[in-house]
Amino acid sequence: VILVSAESIVASMRLAFDHAGLVTEPAGMAGVGALLEHASLRGTDTATIVCGSNITREQAQKWLFDN
């Protein structure tokens, strides 16, 4: 089990949006957030699911566009 901070999850959501145009929900980006947060996972063979777009317009504004 790996714990992932909310900040890393939001950072992963922004990464997916900025680089691939994907709008995702927080739970759908937990795996990518773990890769961002835990250096020990980098450089390993890792797979994660990226999914979901179950967020409101207000959440998208806050998480994807506001700093």
Side-chain angles (χ1 to χ4, degrees):
V1 174
I2 296 175
L3 298 179
V4 182
S5 69
E7 293 80 13
S8 292
I9 292 174
V10 170
S12 69
M13 292 172 67
R14 285 186 178 162
L15 180 79
F17 182 76
D18 291 344
H19 292 279
L22 298 174
V23 176
T24 59
E25 62 187 62
M29 293 303 288
V32 177
L35 291 170
L36 293 177
E37 187 170 335
H38 298 282
S40 63
L41 296 175
R42 295 182 204 139
T44 64
D45 292 333
T46 306
T48 185
I49 296 171
V50 173
C51 64
S53 59
N54 185 27
I55 61 175
T56 66
R57 182 177 300 226
E58 292 79 17
Q59 289 170 322
Q61 179 66 41
K62 177 182 175 184
W63 294 331
L64 300 178
F65 302 109
D66 293 347
N67 289 325

